Amino acid sequence: MSARILVVDDVPANVKLLEARLSAEYFDVMTASNGTEALALASRAECDIILLDVMMPDMDGFEVCRRLKTDPATHHIPVVMVTALDSPADRNRGLEAGADDFLTKPVSDVVLIARVRSLTRLKMMTDELRMRAITSLEIGMQAPERSAVADTGRGGRILLVDDRQSSYERLATILAAEHTIDVEPNPTEALFHAAEGNYDLLIVSLDLNNFDGLRLCSQARSLERTRHVPILAIADPENSTRLLRGLEIGVNDYLLRPIDKTELLARARTQIRRRRYTDHLRDNVQNSIEMAITDALTGLHNRRYMESHLATLADQASTRGKPLALMILDIDYFKSINDNYGHDAGDDVLREFAVRVRKSIRGIDLACRYGGEEFVIVMPETDLHVAGMVAERLRRSIAGEPFAVHKGTKRIEVTISIGLTTLEQKGEAVADVLKRADTALYRAKHDGRNRVVSQAA
């Protein structure tokens, strides 16, 4: 797995040592000798992970990390502090600054490479989401970076899986100061609990009695509903080798007993912040997809979606030997509504029209705004007779009750004309079906509007 690693250290020998270790694993290594240079490289998006020394002359690593994590352009880049400092206070200061991990020199090659690979996977996943979310910005959605920087990581929902009572009682008490905690002492029930609980973080003990904690972590990664929930593993010091294996299968972070209270809280906040950020990115991607196929004013599908989906529905109807009905609806004299009452009133009519359409059709039917005041409804497994009844019911729904406009201060009469046809010839082009429905609509308008006209295949 290739990634660009930025090594920041003012001691050339340290830089050369890390560069050699990482290059041997086929990582692309960049270097910086001070904090200012590191910040400049990171701001140009030239690195995937930063290995950061603490003791530097111009700006120490804590300050560099803090600036990286408070800048919307760089906060998503994983930072690992690699330093000779080994006190709990230094470790916690680094984690509070936003570091993803804090490794004490001399660092084992195995530990270093395992951590870099784990964070590389995470960074690449985040980068993919960020690239997809660029479309969201182009259609006016808010970028999540600033809210991510401001997020404290507190107020999360955490599931703690631990079958040692003395252990889980202490951990739950610590975590409850900042989060909502559920404890699951039965590991066989933990996966079900995790899937149903909508958690921000799973904390899993790897020292469970008669149960493999790593298998639980692996199962959580393979299950759709827990795949993206971060996992913080906890183990006794003699199980450090299994922790490295955990990083390979998707564990996000780990702690060795005895657990330091401040470090536990700091690591939990880091994982919860990252979870919220990636969730926001996924939401933006999903919303942009929905907006690409949905008409913003009415909430119905748009013409692009209709044209692609109609072909699928027509193929299914032909294959199964089932009828497919299609109607084109046009709001009568819609231009006069805009001219006499204003475009705001026209928008009110279109929104209410969409509501009445939804109430008149089935869930399997496809309703789309075709353009302007024209709409298309596609009805699978529906013959011309039944479709005619639905069309007439919809026509009466529109004409039977005036439309409220201008926040209900005025009510206006609205009618529609409907052209209706069906796909009954196997393999018929959908363009021909649309043209036939449009011809029927023209006849309805020519014959006086506010009516349904059917035209058989």
Side-chain angles (χ1 to χ4, degrees):
M1 181 183 300
S2 181
R4 292 164 297 178
I5 314 297
L6 173 60
V7 176
V8 187
D9 198 317
D10 64 324
V11 179
N14 292 340
V15 173
K16 291 293 184 184
L17 180 60
L18 284 174
E19 187 174 14
R21 289 178 176 178
L22 295 165
S23 296
E25 298 294 328
Y26 302 102
F27 291 107
D28 183 13
V29 182
M30 308 166 56
T31 64
S33 59
N34 58 66
T36 302
E37 185 181 354
L39 291 172
L41 288 170
S43 68
R44 295 198 295 268
E46 294 184 6
C47 59
D48 294 306
I49 298 174
I50 300 173
L51 301 184
L52 179 63
D53 186 32
V54 172
M55 306 302 293
M56 293 186 294
D58 70 326
M59 184 189 311
D60 68 25
F62 298 125
E63 177 62 17
V64 175
C65 185
R66 188 193 64 79
R67 294 192 186 189
L68 288 166
K69 293 300 182 178
T70 55
D71 185 345
T74 59
H75 80 96
H76 63 284
I77 302 174
V79 176
V80 178
M81 289 190 164
V82 183
T83 177
L85 300 177
D86 60 357
S87 72
D90 290 322
R91 176 184 295 273
N92 292 333
R93 187 180 174 193
L95 295 172
E96 291 288 348
D100 294 83
D101 206 347
F102 192 101
L103 302 180
T104 302
K105 298 176 183 176
V107 181
S108 156
D109 286 1
V110 174
V111 172
L112 176 66
I113 299 305
R115 204 68 182 102
V116 168
R117 283 177 174 162
S118 172
L119 290 171
T120 295
R121 285 192 295 268
L122 178 65
K123 173 65 162 49
M124 288 183 173
M125 178 197 71
T126 304
D127 282 350
E128 183 177 354
L129 286 171
R130 292 177 73 244
M131 289 299 295
R132 292 181 180 180
I134 289 175
T135 304
S136 304
L137 304 180
E138 294 173 351
I139 58 178
M141 297 180 65
Q142 185 177 2
E145 275 73 16
R146 294 197 177 278
S147 61
V149 167
D151 190 353
T152 64
R154 294 175 170 84
R157 284 181 49 80
I158 298 176
L159 177 64
L160 172 60
V161 184
D162 192 343
D163 56 6
R164 297 186 198 173
Q165 185 173 355
S166 60
S167 173
Y168 67 66
E169 286 180 349
R170 177 175 181 268
L171 295 178
T173 300
I174 294 171
L175 293 163
E178 296 185 357
H179 309 281
T180 299
I181 308 299
D182 289 337
V183 176
E184 180 51 79
N186 184 353
T188 61
E189 297 292 328
L191 193 63
F192 174 78
H193 198 161
E196 295 297 321
N198 190 30
Y199 291 103
D200 298 303
L201 175 65
L202 304 182
I203 299 180
V204 180
S205 170
L206 299 189
D207 307 304
L208 300 167
N209 292 318
N210 303 316
F211 197 92
D212 187 349
L214 282 183
R215 184 168 299 280
L216 175 60
C217 295
S218 177
Q219 290 171 338
R221 279 291 165 265
S222 63
L223 189 66
E224 177 64 29
R225 298 179 70 175
T226 56
R227 182 167 299 158
H228 303 299
V229 181
I231 300 173
L232 173 62
I234 294 177
D236 292 329
E238 59 269 21
N239 279 341
S240 57
T241 302
R242 297 190 73 234
L243 280 172
L244 298 180
R245 175 62 176 152
L247 291 175
E248 295 177 3
I249 65 174
V251 169
N252 299 80
D253 201 357
Y254 64 86
L255 278 168
L256 294 175
R257 292 188 172 94
I259 303 299
D260 178 80
K261 171 184 175 180
T262 305
E263 184 175 355
L264 172 62
L265 290 173
R267 290 187 184 275
R269 288 195 295 267
T270 296
Q271 295 305 320
I272 289 171
R273 278 196 300 266
R274 191 176 291 278
R275 165 68 191 271
R276 290 170 177 168
Y277 175 61
T278 54
D279 279 355
H280 198 154
L281 287 175
R282 287 190 185 91
D283 289 343
N284 275 13
V285 171
Q286 182 60 37
N287 290 337
S288 66
I289 292 172
E290 292 177 0
M291 292 179 73
I293 64 173
T294 303
D295 175 63
L297 181 63
T298 64
L300 300 177
H301 289 298
N302 58 20
R303 180 169 182 165
R304 178 191 302 172
Y305 181 82
M306 186 275 294
E307 289 176 341
S308 62
H309 199 55
L310 176 57
T312 301
L313 293 175
D315 288 343
Q316 291 175 352
S318 295
T319 301
R320 298 171 184 172
K322 300 289 186 179
L324 178 77
L326 183 146
M327 62 179 82
I328 299 181
L329 306 80
D330 185 90
I331 299 176
D332 296 329
Y333 304 111
F334 185 74
K335 184 177 183 301
S336 67
I337 295 175
N338 284 330
D339 291 344
N340 295 329
Y341 299 96
H343 287 278
D344 288 347
D347 289 348
D348 289 340
V349 168
L350 291 171
R351 280 189 287 264
E352 174 60 22
F353 177 78
V355 170
R356 297 191 193 185
V357 166
R358 288 194 191 93
K359 290 180 179 179
S360 299
I361 62 176
R362 304 165 299 178
I364 64 170
D365 298 331
L366 174 65
C368 306
R369 186 180 180 189
Y370 198 50
E373 67 273 19
E374 279 195 343
F375 297 79
V376 171
I377 297 176
V378 185
M379 307 181 70
E381 300 186 18
T382 306
D383 60 24
L384 196 61
H385 173 70
V386 173
M389 295 171 59
V390 174
E392 184 57 32
R393 182 177 68 214
L394 178 56
R395 186 198 64 79
R396 290 197 302 268
S397 169
I398 301 301
E401 182 179 353
F403 282 57
V405 298
H406 295 159
K407 298 182 179 180
T409 60
K410 293 182 180 179
R411 300 176 70 84
I412 59 178
E413 302 288 339
V414 177
T415 63
I416 59 172
S417 301
I418 301 176
L420 174 64
T421 190
T422 56
L423 169 74
E424 293 180 345
Q425 300 175 17
K426 187 173 183 178
E428 183 180 15
V430 293
D432 294 339
V433 181
L434 282 166
K435 184 175 181 180
R436 193 162 56 247
D438 194 52
T439 301
L441 173 64
Y442 177 81
R443 283 179 47 203
K445 297 171 78 69
H446 182 267
D447 293 346
R449 292 183 168 82
N450 189 23
R451 67 191 63 227
V452 178
V453 170
S454 301
Q455 183 165 324

